[in-house]
Amino acid sequence: MRKPRSTLLTTAGAAFAAVLGLLLSLAGPFVGRAEAAAAGIHVSDGRVVEGDGSAFVMRGVNHAYTWYPEQTGSIADIAAKGANTVRVVLGSGGRWTKTSASEVSTLIGQCKANKVICVLEVHDTTGYGEDGAATSLDQAADYWISVKSALEGQEDYVVVNIGNEPFGNTNYTAWTDATKAAIAKLRGAGIGHALMVDAPNWGQDWSGTMRNNAASVFASDPDRNTIFSIHMYGVYDTATEVRDYLNAFVGNGLPIVVGEFGDQHSDGNPDEDAIMATAQSLGVGYIGWSWSGNGSGVEYLDMVNGFDPNSLTSWGDRFFNGSNGIVETSETATVYGGGDDGSTGGTAPNGYPYCVNGSASDPDGDGWGWENDRSCVVPGGAADSGGDGSTGGTAPNGYPYCVNGSASDPDGDGWGWENSRSCVVRGSAADR
């Protein structure tokens, strides 16, 4: 979200949005992808996972810290509503006051104390190329390097969102090279966190620039640990547009989250129901905009009135308490002791929901079921990388678990042999 103006679309952009869902990704399936080192939050097989390999599906709220630093209780209030993620707006000193390393440390501490994952973002980049006050992604990378001391050792708890909506509707084709360069700069400086990159076109990617170049951007990251973020406002006013965009990433094995969205907007009426339902069915994260403090005509995007957690707006009530909302779908990160064993639902490590009714929802026995109009994973089945190994399942490294455990592993290296293929002994050195 940009501040203080509302998002604008060019005429060409509006026309393109009408056919966006019909375009095919130019990148094609991203095959043979490398895996990030299993340290902290990282990307594995196109999904966001934690250091232990457990899937992490963001269910979060944006908080405008840089404009309201006095609202010190907001992270705790958001967590108390059930969110597992808070995306925190920071300033890099270009347009807004620089958020110091000590402030970053304090914010991370608040996230950890309240058991939420911190997505930290630089907002000064918003609309670069169109908004003359915006700063570049290169400048944002310099900011992250300047506060590196606050980030070190926090890879389990922090995602670095390099820059908010880093291009407007002018010169947006420069997004690809600028994003690759910023990633390279951060990796070269030793920042090993999961990185999040926002789309151009004020975050909405009506041009398809991020979608069509995501595979090459991901491949440019030596850690293969970049998450893509789409902001869904007026461009995404139909369920078809929402589904087509998110499915383009999921189908190509690329990690995607909805980093911002609302229930209405001056540039069109986003389909928040489709956004939340599609994200849930695909195991994709979402982060709503925003907790409180919106102005300049978009006050309707506040989830609570005046930062009061006891005063939900209609948007806030829908977001937290409605269908596919925070209360219904959010799970605490396993690094804080959260997660779900699948016995009462929850999310499997591959990002899909567990079947509540288990094998009863899986008549063909392939480990995949169907409930609530969506695919689900049978706990402990062939599709469940979180199974206990007694009935197989898939390890986080993509190999099947050995049904017979260590009995199939005579040399004790964690690798066994069953059914004419290698298998992983659950809990061994190879199980990662």
Side-chain angles (χ1 to χ4, degrees):
M1 187 68 178
R2 56 171 161 171
K3 183 182 186 288
R5 298 183 301 150
S6 60
T7 303
L8 302 174
L9 287 177
T10 63
T11 301
F16 194 100
V19 297
L20 179 61
L22 300 178
L23 296 178
L24 295 175
S25 172
L26 299 180
F30 186 64
V31 296
R33 47 192 173 277
E35 298 295 343
I41 297 170
H42 62 282
V43 175
S44 177
D45 197 28
R47 297 285 179 175
V48 179
V49 302
E50 296 186 63
D52 67 353
S54 298
F56 181 67
V57 181
M58 295 183 190
R59 290 287 179 263
V61 175
N62 284 273
H63 168 48
Y65 169 81
T66 197
W67 307 314
Y68 301 100
E70 72 280 4
Q71 297 296 337
T72 57
S74 291
I75 290 176
D77 291 338
I78 292 168
K81 293 292 185 188
N84 65 18
T85 303
V86 179
R87 182 173 181 256
V88 186
V89 177
L90 308 181
S92 62
R95 183 170 188 176
W96 287 289
T97 301
K98 180 177 180 179
T99 308
S100 68
S102 63
E103 287 177 281
V104 171
S105 291
T106 297
L107 289 164
I108 294 172
Q110 290 175 354
C111 285
K112 291 166 71 174
N114 291 285
K115 299 184 178 182
V116 292
I117 297 301
C118 257
V119 176
L120 303 176
E121 61 102 339
V122 163
H123 216 78
D124 304 57
T125 56
T126 308
Y128 180 74
E130 182 175 346
D131 190 329
T135 58
S136 67
L137 280 173
D138 185 65
Q139 290 170 297
D142 287 338
Y143 168 77
W144 292 116
I145 294 168
S146 78
V147 298
K148 179 183 173 184
S149 61
L151 302 173
E152 290 177 331
Q154 305 301 326
E155 291 83 357
D156 281 323
Y157 310 98
V158 173
V159 174
V160 173
N161 191 173
I162 302 177
N164 183 69
E165 301 179 2
F167 284 86
N169 294 323
T170 302
N171 198 32
Y172 57 81
T173 56
W175 175 89
T176 303
D177 288 341
T179 301
K180 290 178 179 179
I183 292 170
K185 192 170 195 176
L186 293 176
R187 296 304 188 211
I191 293 177
H193 297 66
L195 302 177
M196 185 179 288
V197 296
D198 284 8
N201 308 127
W202 300 100
Q204 298 199 79
D205 201 29
W206 54 257
S207 64
T209 300
M210 183 172 81
R211 186 188 60 182
N212 295 336
N213 293 282
S216 69
V217 170
F218 186 83
S220 77
D221 179 357
D223 291 355
R224 303 298 196 271
N225 199 15
T226 296
I227 303 162
F228 298 91
S229 174
I230 181 67
H231 294 181
M232 289 187 161
Y233 292 108
V235 170
Y236 300 91
D237 57 357
T238 69
T240 297
E241 289 164 327
V242 171
R243 292 168 187 157
D244 285 351
Y245 195 90
L246 296 180
N247 273 306
F249 281 78
V250 173
N252 283 317
L254 292 164
I256 183 74
V257 302
V258 182
E260 290 186 18
F261 71 104
D263 65 338
Q264 56 181 305
H265 206 269
S266 56
D267 72 349
N269 184 19
D271 190 340
E272 72 279 4
D273 292 338
I275 293 168
M276 297 169 79
T278 304
Q280 179 64 15
S281 68
L282 294 176
V284 165
Y286 66 65
I287 310 173
W289 186 279
S290 69
W291 182 240
S292 197
N294 289 285
S296 302
V298 294
E299 291 84 356
Y300 49 76
L301 289 171
D302 284 358
M303 294 180 178
V304 298
N305 295 300
F307 292 93
D308 181 357
N310 298 313
S311 182
L312 284 173
T313 65
S314 58
W315 166 222
D317 185 57
R318 191 270 168 269
F319 181 81
F320 288 105
N321 300 318
S323 178
N324 298 301
I326 293 294
V327 171
E328 182 180 302
T329 67
S330 178
E331 294 181 16
T332 303
T334 59
V335 72
Y336 297 122
D340 193 295
D341 65 5
S343 60
T344 56
T347 304
N350 63 11
Y352 285 86
Y354 277 120
C355 303
V356 174
N357 296 317
S359 58
S361 299
D362 176 28
D364 59 359
D366 65 352
W368 289 95
W370 185 263
E371 291 178 349
N372 301 317
D373 296 319
R374 63 187 182 185
S375 294
C376 58
V377 173
V378 176
D384 182 13
S385 60
D388 64 4
S390 61
T391 56
T394 305
N397 62 13
Y399 285 86
Y401 280 120
C402 302
V403 175
N404 296 316
S406 58
S408 298
D409 175 29
D411 59 0
D413 65 352
W415 289 95
W417 186 261
E418 291 178 351
N419 301 317
S420 300
R421 62 183 182 180
S422 294
C423 59
V424 172
V425 176
R426 187 167 181 86
S428 71
D431 185 11
R432 53 185 174 84

